[in-house]
Amino acid sequence: FFVRCKDVGLDCACIIYGINEEAVTYNTILHMLERHAIKPEEMTTCMKLKILENIGVRHSPRPESQLVYNSHF
């Protein structure tokens, strides 16, 4: 799962990933605090909704072997 920071309304090329929607939301809030100095309590309802609305799913192809899998990380 992922969300693009620019889709949330910020001028930023960062893409935030997580293993599920909850993790993406948490990571996005953390990113906004660390990189944009926006504290969670300062986030508007609109920003929170944009995070949830713009979460997408990225499907990765299955690795052919364990060696191929390890070489991509």
Side-chain angles (χ1 to χ4, degrees):
F1 294 86
F2 71 96
V3 69
R4 291 178 182 87
C5 197
K6 68 178 181 178
D7 292 339
V8 178
L10 297 169
D11 185 21
C12 177
C14 187
I15 300 173
I16 301 104
Y17 294 92
I19 60 171
N20 55 35
E21 290 180 355
E22 184 176 288
V24 172
T25 301
Y26 175 82
N27 292 340
T28 303
I29 291 169
L30 185 62
H31 167 79
M32 293 176 90
L33 175 63
E34 292 176 345
R35 299 292 183 194
H36 303 290
I38 299 172
K39 296 178 183 175
E41 59 270 12
E42 296 172 336
M43 290 181 65
T44 65
T45 301
C46 182
M47 289 175 87
K48 292 175 185 175
L49 288 173
K50 282 186 177 185
I51 293 170
L52 295 174
E53 291 170 356
N54 287 289
I55 292 176
V57 179
R58 177 179 175 198
H59 297 281
S60 299
R62 294 185 62 127
E64 296 173 18
S65 71
Q66 189 65 31
L67 181 61
V68 171
Y69 180 77
N70 288 333
S71 69
H72 291 290
F73 296 99

